[in-house]
Amino acid sequence: MTLNLVPFVSVERMMQLVLHLGVERVLCDLAAEIEADFRRWPAFDKTPRVASHSDVGVIELMPTSDGETYGFKYVNGHPSNMKKGLQTVTAFGLLADVATGYPLLLSEMTILTALRTAATSAMAAKWLAPAGATSMALIGNGAQAEFQALGFKAVCGITEVRLYDIDPEATAKCVTNLAGSGLRVVACGSPEAAIEGAQIITTVTADKQYATILTDNMVGAGVHINAVGGDCPGKTELHRDILLRSGIFVEYPDQTRIEGEIQQLPADHPVTELWQVIAGQTPGRTDARQITLFDSVGFAIEDFSALRYILAKARQTGHFDNLDMIADPDDPRDLYGMLLRAACRP
Amino acid sequence: MTLNLVPFVSVERMMQLVLHLGVERVLCDLAAEIEADFRRWPAFDKTPRVASHSDVGVIELMPTSDGETYGFKYVNGHPSNMKKGLQTVTAFGLLADVATGYPLLLSEMTILTALRTAATSAMAAKWLAPAGATSMALIGNGAQAEFQALGFKAVCGITEVRLYDIDPEATAKCVTNLAGSGLRVVACGSPEAAIEGAQIITTVTADKQYATILTDNMVGAGVHINAVGGDCPGKTELHRDILLRSGIFVEYPDQTRIEGEIQQLPADHPVTELWQVIAGQTPGRTDARQITLFDSVGFAIEDFSALRYILAKARQTGHFDNLDMIADPDDPRDLYGMLLRAACRP
């Protein structure tokens, strides 16, 4: 065993790995992994992410541990990046062995975050959406959109997506990318048109400001709302009145009350933790006319599940490189000697 | 500019870089960089590190930002690793651009942490040790020891180090490695012998438990104590009575009260923040007979200074590689399209 080498999944390797397995299979596998980890929720160390805010964005560290494996993600959110030709969200992550503290995996997570966010949304909808849902409105057609569409197809059996974005070019990109996916793809000229007949409404816009993508009169009885875009202080997508009519499900209340749609509500407004629904401790949707809302902000355990999956698949397929990241002197106390001896090498 | 590539300083590259510049020059440069950043202390976002503790060790994330650049370090502390042939402490770190959230540098930090810890200790002693100090006791002769010795030589003009370790092999390793350094190196058979005539006492042992490396009667008037090894809850090196006789200087009180020697004292015991001494806001050593104690636990700003230094030197010397860590689609909203197009490549 070479102690100094850490398996590294680069962007290129991640694409190879995902294409090798198939996007929909990865989304299904991730949904299953995340669900399994949500079921054992109390086993994890949980802490709200550690955020460093600036005028233009945020940089966050999201750590967790199940006592055997430790994981964290570095992720930024900079809505104005798009205008500069940069990603709004970029990320990478690490797994480490709790027993030794040695890293087990370093991985790109820009692509992986898109996959795990969609897988989490679809997994939540499996528990919360009305029975027999086949049509989803997808409002916001940016970098996350196709992953959401394919996640809901693969995990929930959605057959139609109804697209809307304030920028028609984003919608056109999405239509092109989803051609041949097996989904019926409908480009719509307004949010109202997009939600027509949809049993699931996904909002995944990126403005860092209080926005109102959905107003109260747009949301009918019985729908499931998958609110993905409101994920930091000052950034929301839904009108407050919708929240007051909905059964609200969240990942980790301490974090969601700061970052999610419910930052618009009093701190004691009742919410249900999604893991409790999955663990059978509390009901999910209570009747066919209830509006269910998954107020998704993304939580460290989802990244942990995704990184563990990628480590297993990378090992199986060989889609990784080795990174010389950990100093490994012959005698662990002789770090300086290792440096001295390096000077003598040709 | 290739957006997806992040400069990476591997262990091998770090050794090349340090040997190219020279260890003592790097220690002097780092001490100057750290001192400059301590002088502008209020400019930094500061937070106690985010620690995940287990029975055998700890994994920590240490973030900070000066509003332009963001940095964090991943570091573990596992005292029992040594018996398994592993490093007690391994680390890596990252710098990112606050304006975009994009990483600027990924670097090994096992070697760099040893260098920055020694540089910080020596920088503190420059401000606190008695005038004309030439001899230092060095108790604990593990991975950090030679770096401390060379840091105090380069920054403070120490000419003699007096070594003691409960394991004579560790001392012997240190003697060998420091031969030819220009230091007078004295191997001692007891801590009492080591501190004989020394104006500076450095303790850098690794047990994760309350230990008493120094007892009260061993410490005479006027010495400077550089307490490096006590750096997490339950891990201390000095008898409480020494603390009560000393002027205590710390990096960041919120963190040191949890992790440093002063965890043995009431939470309101007066301490001085080292940066205030450097910024001229408060005196350091007040008289020749005062015992000064630098209760060092390591703080994120020191890693930030070290990473910025390494980034500059890596760029100057070319001692880095490029890592394909950030997804960079032609259209930032078209992350999925990038994946689709990768499938079409040969």
Side-chain angles (χ1 to χ4, degrees):
Chain A
M1 183 179 164
T2 321
L3 293 170
N4 60 320
L5 297 181
V6 178
F8 170 55
V9 177
S10 67
V11 175
E12 188 64 31
R13 290 291 199 179
M14 183 63 75
M15 293 198 292
Q16 290 169 359
L17 187 57
V18 171
L19 291 169
H20 173 83
L21 297 167
V23 179
E24 290 190 39
R25 177 178 161 199
V26 171
L27 287 162
C28 280
D29 286 353
L30 285 174
E33 296 283 341
I34 293 165
E35 187 175 286
D37 282 338
F38 270 54
R39 192 166 279 125
R40 63 186 186 107
W41 190 265
F44 287 90
D45 264 359
K46 286 168 289 290
T47 174
R49 50 185 140 201
V50 184
S52 177
H53 292 277
S54 69
D55 292 345
V56 292
V58 63
I59 296 175
E60 298 171 329
L61 300 173
M62 302 168 67
T64 191
S65 162
D66 69 357
E68 284 185 21
T69 308
Y70 170 92
F72 83 89
K73 178 166 82 170
Y74 168 100
V75 60
N76 75 301
H78 285 70
S80 60
N81 269 4
M82 211 248 291
K83 289 170 213 138
K84 305 175 201 162
L86 302 175
Q87 287 286 298
T88 302
V89 172
T90 70
F92 71 92
L94 182 104
L95 289 179
D97 179 8
V98 168
T100 65
Y102 271 54
L104 298 169
L105 172 73
L106 180 74
S107 177
E108 88 81 34
M109 286 192 80
T110 308
I111 297 168
L112 189 57
T113 295
L115 288 162
R116 79 84 160 117
T117 301
T120 303
S121 286
M123 186 273 285
K126 204 187 74 176
W127 290 88
L128 300 174
T134 55
S135 176
M136 175 166 86
L138 187 43
I139 298 174
N141 300 155
Q144 172 64 203
E146 296 91 338
F147 297 96
Q148 288 282 339
L150 295 172
F152 278 78
K153 171 176 182 280
V155 176
C156 305
I158 286 299
T159 57
E160 176 184 77
V161 288
R162 305 178 61 82
L163 308 177
Y164 174 74
D165 196 289
I166 46 169
D167 180 356
E169 280 183 35
T171 304
K173 168 219 70 165
C174 224
V175 169
T176 304
N177 283 338
L178 291 175
S181 67
L183 281 165
R184 179 162 181 258
V185 180
V186 184
C188 302
S190 69
E192 287 79 3
I195 66 174
E196 209 172 285
Q199 298 89 21
I200 299 174
I201 303 173
T202 290
T203 57
V204 57
T205 62
D207 271 330
K208 191 181 177 177
Q209 59 187 35
Y210 293 106
T212 307
I213 311 302
L214 292 183
T215 54
D216 192 32
N217 62 340
M218 292 165 70
V219 178
V223 302
H224 174 66
I225 303 172
N226 171 41
V228 178
D231 63 354
C232 68
K235 185 174 163 215
T236 59
E237 297 182 307
L238 308 184
H239 193 282
R240 190 171 177 276
D241 289 346
I242 299 174
L243 309 184
L244 298 174
R245 287 166 63 207
S246 303
I248 302 173
F249 298 83
V250 303
E251 289 141 317
Y252 183 57
D254 288 1
Q255 183 175 302
T256 312
R257 292 200 192 274
I258 298 168
E259 302 175 353
E261 297 299 328
I262 58 171
Q263 65 187 276
Q264 303 178 69
L265 300 183
D268 60 352
H269 188 88
V271 298
T272 303
E273 296 187 50
L274 181 59
W275 76 268
Q276 295 186 309
V277 177
I278 294 166
Q281 298 183 4
T282 188
R285 168 176 289 272
T286 49
D287 66 78
R289 291 190 53 80
Q290 187 188 26
I291 299 169
T292 50
L293 166 63
F294 178 45
D295 187 1
S296 165
V297 297
F299 189 58
I301 294 174
E302 296 148 25
D303 300 309
F304 178 94
S305 313
L307 286 168
R308 286 226 304 186
Y309 174 74
I310 289 299
L311 178 57
K313 293 300 174 192
R315 280 177 177 158
Q316 280 169 26
T317 62
H319 285 303
F320 67 95
D321 302 294
N322 283 308
L323 218 54
D324 167 34
M325 207 164 87
I326 301 299
D328 180 34
D330 303 328
D331 171 355
R333 291 176 305 189
D334 199 10
L335 189 62
Y336 183 72
M338 182 181 76
L339 186 63
L340 277 186
R341 286 186 291 277
C344 306
R345 287 205 307 255
Chain B
M1 184 179 164
T2 321
L3 294 171
N4 59 318
L5 297 180
V6 178
F8 170 56
V9 177
S10 66
V11 175
E12 187 65 32
R13 290 291 198 179
M14 182 63 76
M15 293 198 292
Q16 290 169 359
L17 187 58
V18 172
L19 291 168
H20 172 85
L21 297 166
V23 179
E24 290 190 40
R25 177 179 160 197
V26 170
L27 286 161
C28 280
D29 286 353
L30 285 175
E33 296 282 341
I34 293 165
E35 187 174 286
D37 282 336
F38 270 54
R39 193 166 278 127
R40 63 185 187 109
W41 190 265
F44 287 89
D45 263 359
K46 288 169 287 290
T47 175
R49 52 185 140 200
V50 183
S52 177
H53 291 277
S54 68
D55 293 346
V56 293
V58 62
I59 296 176
E60 298 171 330
L61 299 174
M62 302 169 67
T64 191
S65 163
D66 69 357
E68 284 186 21
T69 307
Y70 171 93
F72 84 89
K73 178 166 81 169
Y74 168 101
V75 60
N76 75 301
H78 284 70
S80 60
N81 269 5
M82 210 249 290
K83 288 170 213 138
K84 305 176 202 164
L86 303 175
Q87 287 287 297
T88 302
V89 173
T90 72
F92 70 91
L94 182 104
L95 289 179
D97 180 8
V98 168
T100 64
Y102 272 53
L104 298 168
L105 171 73
L106 180 75
S107 177
E108 89 80 35
M109 287 192 78
T110 309
I111 296 167
L112 189 57
T113 295
L115 288 161
R116 80 85 159 116
T117 301
T120 303
S121 285
M123 186 273 284
K126 204 186 74 175
W127 290 88
L128 300 175
T134 55
S135 177
M136 175 166 86
L138 187 43
I139 299 176
N141 301 155
Q144 172 66 204
E146 295 92 335
F147 297 96
Q148 288 282 338
L150 295 172
F152 278 79
K153 171 176 183 280
V155 176
C156 305
I158 287 298
T159 58
E160 175 183 78
V161 287
R162 306 178 60 80
L163 308 178
Y164 173 74
D165 196 290
I166 47 169
D167 179 357
E169 280 183 35
T171 304
K173 168 218 70 162
C174 224
V175 169
T176 304
N177 283 338
L178 291 174
S181 68
L183 282 165
R184 181 165 180 256
V185 180
V186 184
C188 303
S190 68
E192 288 79 3
I195 65 175
E196 209 173 284
Q199 298 89 20
I200 298 173
I201 304 174
T202 290
T203 56
V204 57
T205 62
D207 271 330
K208 189 180 179 177
Q209 61 187 32
Y210 293 106
T212 307
I213 310 302
L214 292 183
T215 54
D216 192 33
N217 63 341
M218 291 164 70
V219 178
V223 302
H224 173 67
I225 304 173
N226 171 42
V228 178
D231 64 355
C232 68
K235 184 173 165 217
T236 59
E237 296 182 308
L238 308 184
H239 193 282
R240 189 171 176 277
D241 289 347
I242 299 174
L243 309 184
L244 297 174
R245 286 165 62 206
S246 303
I248 301 174
F249 298 83
V250 304
E251 290 142 315
Y252 183 57
D254 288 0
Q255 182 175 302
T256 312
R257 291 200 191 274
I258 298 168
E259 301 174 353
E261 296 299 327
I262 58 171
Q263 65 187 275
Q264 303 178 71
L265 299 182
D268 60 350
H269 189 89
V271 298
T272 303
E273 295 186 51
L274 182 59
W275 77 267
Q276 294 186 310
V277 178
I278 294 167
Q281 298 183 4
T282 189
R285 167 175 290 273
T286 50
D287 67 78
R289 291 189 54 80
Q290 186 188 26
I291 299 170
T292 49
L293 167 63
F294 177 45
D295 187 2
S296 166
V297 297
F299 189 59
I301 293 173
E302 296 149 25
D303 300 309
F304 178 95
S305 314
L307 285 168
R308 286 226 304 187
Y309 173 74
I310 289 300
L311 177 58
K313 293 300 174 193
R315 280 176 177 159
Q316 281 169 24
T317 63
H319 285 303
F320 67 95
D321 302 293
N322 283 308
L323 217 54
D324 168 32
M325 207 163 88
I326 301 300
D328 180 34
D330 303 328
D331 171 355
R333 292 176 304 187
D334 199 10
L335 189 61
Y336 183 72
M338 182 181 75
L339 186 62
L340 276 186
R341 286 186 290 278
C344 306
R345 289 203 307 256

